[in-house]
Amino acid sequence: MKSIIPFKYENGLLKLLDQRKLPLQTVWIELKTYKEVALSIENMAVRGAPAIGCCAAWGYFLGIKSLGSVFSDKIEFEKKRKKIFNRLSSTRPTAVNLFWALEQVSNVMEDDFESYLSSLEKKALEIEEDDRKSCRDIGKHGALSLPQGEISVLTHCNAGALATAGYGTALGVIRTLHENGRLKMAYADDTRPRQQGARLTVWELMEDNIPVTLLADTAAGWLLSSGKIDAVVVGADRIASNGDTANKIGTYMVALAAKMHNIPFFVAAPLSTLDFSISSGDEIEIEVRSPDEVRKVGDIYRTVPTVAVINPAFDVTPSELITGIITENGVAHPPYTDSLKLLRK
Amino acid sequence: MKSIIPFKYENGLLKLLDQRKLPLQTVWIELKTYKEVALSIENMAVRGAPAIGCCAAWGYFLGIKSLGSVFSDKIEFEKKRKKIFNRLSSTRPTAVNLFWALEQVSNVMEDDFESYLSSLEKKALEIEEDDRKSCRDIGKHGALSLPQGEISVLTHCNAGALATAGYGTALGVIRTLHENGRLKMAYADDTRPRQQGARLTVWELMEDNIPVTLLADTAAGWLLSSGKIDAVVVGADRIASNGDTANKIGTYMVALAAKMHNIPFFVAAPLSTLDFSISSGDEIEIEVRSPDEVRKVGDIYRTVPTVAVINPAFDVTPSELITGIITENGVAHPPYTDSLKLLRK
């Protein structure tokens, strides 16, 4: 099955599908420098934890590529390398894949600059290809774990091809169900304030002729109480050792409603989303974004432009509400402190 | 304290503040016929259960006013009267105040047409003034029942002056807290798809210098888990004998999150919102509105324009999640089957 690939490194340029403009405009932007990559992560031209990780790796590669002239001066080079690393690290605080990918590329080192660059490029490509393969495997493990037969699935935000290097995590599961003739309907929450559900999930599923129905975020509780939904599957931005999961704001309320109606609630994410350095979700930093994301829709104010706003980008779903965590190595079930360790590479 | 009054009957015209245009435009529209009133209820130029009831009463009055020439022909008059009644009844199915108010004006009857009209006008005005008084009393009972001291309150949708004949139900409680120096902060959910929170609640509170902070609907669970909120207060469109409450879509998920964090969740509504003819929320008809409300924001498509949509306008919060129901006669607590009966006029 085809699925969009939202970025591609080619001839010195990182080409990005601008996700702020979808679905009404399909615009590719071309990034030449690590600073442009950092800005594109910050302003969410690219978003989704695994996609951010991949693009940060490419950004690091582009940054190092410009340091040929200082490579021989180890002190100067290390100063500039750290600047690149720090700039890319500081783009967004919550998704751990960003730090994981930067760690991966940081560990690459060679004495010869050309060999170094070539190894870095190989590593960035490997991260990207591994992610694509992980998504396929997540799809298979998910299809095995979700309720059997033909089912309807609710998802929140976009954990799709657009959020990864292709195919998707939560939408990877939905794609696999569809490929196996088992998807009755995918339901997509709007996902305010940035509407990744309405703009991205709807678009990518319709592009691939996968049946999808859109709802306002406010309607998820009603839908889960209606008997129409067999399972919920969402992505993740960071998963603590105990299974607590940070994901797009609103996920927590969907999980509460799923629990209330005994509907299985799954998280789908590659192992790079796991953060074994923290014991629970309390330790996850939640990004707070601009008030205008809530005041406006697109470019238009929908409220009094001076109103105070609180705009957290993520919330934490406690592990007690999570039926299973679907990774490329298999599905973890509670207690996660034990099961996640076993799946670790 | 001043508070906007969103409609006014004067010299043969029902003047309505067009709530579809707020807050960026303040436009008053003038309605001459019952058909115009019916359309304005359907298209939500006026909305909010008590306000719909009041305007339906004025619509009925305007309809009867045009029947002077057939008043003496009892059969013809009754046919036309029923047509007016049915047109106004069929505008929106969920808010019971509509049917209650139409019942009130239907019960008016006099032999002389001029006296009849005069009694009808008096009845419509009485419904309106009673509603305003009820809101003040709801405010007082609410301020007595909510946690004491200076508190922060979350609300959903707009149960304010704009949803009533003035002052508001849920916002009536918030206004009273503010008047008594007890309101730390009112938090308002955006309330997609129609954004009554962002557009109406924010506007009317800011107009009256009441502190308000806006959040995306998706952020309510995060906010309730943050410790910032002392109580939730919402309005209602219909309350069953057992306390199950239909209110704006999304209310149910807010109630679930409030329960999870042991935050008291109150419903504020006049007794005209009670429907003793039904035993539980299962019997409440939930209005399903146009897909374009979800596909668009304002006039602009935000998703693939052909996507399937499910757009229920209300959900039912089961009585187990409701700490108290605040009416003009006092506050009902569980078990509601007993307590609501005692408050009944």
Side-chain angles (χ1 to χ4, degrees), chain A residues 3-205:
Chain A
S3 109
I4 189 94
I5 292 176
F7 54 85
K8 187 172 181 51
Y9 175 74
E10 220 167 30
N11 306 323
L13 295 172
L14 182 62
K15 296 175 186 176
L16 264 193
L17 179 57
D18 190 341
Q19 301 194 30
R20 297 166 303 177
K21 303 231 163 85
L22 285 171
L24 301 180
Q25 289 176 281
T26 309
V27 177
W28 287 83
I29 51 180
E30 298 188 340
L31 311 176
K32 279 185 204 143
T33 67
Y34 81 90
K35 286 183 185 171
E36 288 172 348
V37 175
L39 201 63
S40 296
I41 294 173
E42 267 171 7
N43 67 26
M44 297 177 69
V46 61
R47 28 64 54 200
I52 288 172
C54 295
C55 288
W58 284 118
Y60 185 86
F61 166 74
L62 287 174
I64 299 294
K65 199 161 168 276
S66 69
L67 299 186
S69 59
V70 296
F71 187 66
S72 55
D73 179 344
K74 289 301 165 201
I75 293 171
E76 187 62 14
F77 173 78
E78 184 52 20
K79 208 175 103 189
K80 298 214 155 154
R81 193 196 69 81
K82 275 210 171 135
K83 198 177 152 198
I84 294 165
F85 182 93
N86 291 338
R87 176 69 187 93
L88 288 163
S89 295
S90 70
T91 48
R92 300 194 66 192
T94 306
V96 77
N97 315 59
L98 172 73
F99 310 108
W100 172 86
L102 286 172
E103 192 66 30
Q104 299 286 306
V105 284
S106 289
N107 289 337
V108 174
M109 190 39 84
E110 304 226 14
D111 291 336
D112 170 69
F113 189 65
E114 286 311 311
S115 312
Y116 177 39
L117 272 192
S118 157
S119 295
L120 263 186
E121 182 174 351
K122 218 177 116 190
K123 177 52 86 178
L125 202 61
E126 183 189 309
I127 291 172
E128 183 185 323
E129 285 171 352
D130 280 357
D131 184 61
R132 220 138 32 213
K133 186 176 177 311
S134 293
C135 286
R136 296 270 172 182
D137 291 340
I138 286 169
K140 280 176 206 158
H141 290 301
L144 286 166
S145 280
L146 263 62
Q148 295 306 298
E150 204 195 19
I151 60 175
S152 287
V153 178
L154 171 66
T155 190
H156 186 72
C157 195
N158 174 270
L162 291 167
T164 60
Y167 203 72
T169 52
L171 295 195
V173 176
I174 285 172
R175 278 175 202 281
T176 305
L177 289 170
H178 181 67
E179 287 165 20
N180 295 332
R182 281 180 50 206
L183 184 72
K184 200 185 289 172
M185 179 60 72
Y187 287 87
D189 283 347
D190 181 14
T191 319
R192 274 279 281 156
R194 294 185 72 100
Q195 299 188 279
Q196 292 92 334
R199 296 191 306 102
L200 307 179
T201 294
V202 162
W203 179 76
E204 72 165 88
L205 293 181

Side-chain angles (χ1 to χ4, degrees), chain B residues 57-341:
Chain B
W58 285 118
Y60 185 86
F61 166 74
L62 286 174
I64 298 295
K65 198 161 169 279
S66 70
L67 298 187
S69 60
V70 295
F71 186 65
S72 55
D73 179 346
K74 289 301 162 199
I75 291 170
E76 187 61 14
F77 173 78
E78 184 53 20
K79 208 175 103 191
K80 298 211 155 155
R81 192 195 70 82
K82 273 207 172 135
K83 198 177 154 198
I84 293 165
F85 182 93
N86 291 338
R87 176 70 188 94
L88 289 163
S89 296
S90 70
T91 48
R92 300 195 65 194
T94 305
V96 76
N97 315 61
L98 172 73
F99 310 108
W100 173 86
L102 286 173
E103 191 68 30
Q104 299 285 305
V105 284
S106 288
N107 288 337
V108 175
M109 191 38 83
E110 303 227 16
D111 289 336
D112 170 69
F113 189 66
E114 286 310 310
S115 315
Y116 177 40
L117 272 192
S118 156
S119 296
L120 263 186
E121 182 174 352
K122 217 176 116 191
K123 176 53 83 177
L125 201 62
E126 183 190 308
I127 291 172
E128 181 184 324
E129 286 171 350
D130 280 356
D131 183 62
R132 220 140 29 218
K133 186 177 177 308
S134 293
C135 286
R136 296 271 172 181
D137 291 339
I138 286 169
K140 281 178 205 156
H141 290 300
L144 286 167
S145 280
L146 261 62
Q148 295 306 297
E150 204 196 19
I151 60 175
S152 287
V153 178
L154 171 65
T155 190
H156 187 72
C157 196
N158 173 271
L162 291 167
T164 59
Y167 203 71
T169 52
L171 295 195
V173 175
I174 285 172
R175 280 176 201 280
T176 305
L177 288 171
H178 181 67
E179 287 165 19
N180 295 332
R182 282 181 50 208
L183 183 73
K184 198 184 291 170
M185 179 59 74
Y187 287 87
D189 283 346
D190 182 14
T191 320
R192 275 277 283 154
R194 295 186 71 101
Q195 299 188 277
Q196 291 93 334
R199 297 191 304 103
L200 308 179
T201 294
V202 163
W203 179 77
E204 72 164 87
L205 293 181
M206 286 181 82
E207 283 285 299
D208 289 345
N209 294 311
I210 298 172
V212 59
T213 296
L214 174 66
L215 57 142
D217 299 303
T218 50
W222 175 88
L223 184 66
L224 288 162
S225 75
S226 74
K228 286 184 205 290
I229 301 296
D230 301 292
V232 180
V233 186
V234 299
D237 291 82
R238 192 185 296 218
I239 301 171
S241 310
N242 71 343
D244 289 352
T245 295
N247 190 45
K248 180 54 51 195
I249 192 74
T251 303
Y252 173 44
M253 280 200 288
V254 175
L256 278 174
K259 185 74 166 185
M260 184 72 177
H261 297 284
N262 293 312
I263 295 164
F265 179 95
F266 287 92
V267 169
L271 290 164
S272 56
T273 310
L274 288 167
D275 185 355
F276 285 104
S277 77
I278 56 173
S279 58
S280 86
D282 295 342
E283 295 170 63
I284 300 175
E285 183 185 347
I286 299 296
E287 179 182 9
V288 174
R289 294 185 61 89
S290 157
D292 270 357
E293 289 190 349
V294 180
R295 293 178 187 142
K296 292 179 173 183
V297 177
D299 294 328
I300 299 166
Y301 280 106
R302 297 286 300 163
T303 183
V304 183
T306 53
V307 66
V309 165
I310 191 149
N311 182 24
F314 304 94
D315 58 25
V316 174
T317 298
S319 58
E320 303 86 71
L321 302 177
I322 301 170
T323 310
I325 297 174
I326 307 163
T327 75
E328 64 270 41
N329 282 0
V331 181
H333 292 283
Y336 294 108
T337 313
D338 300 333
S339 58
L340 286 174
K341 256 188 232 145

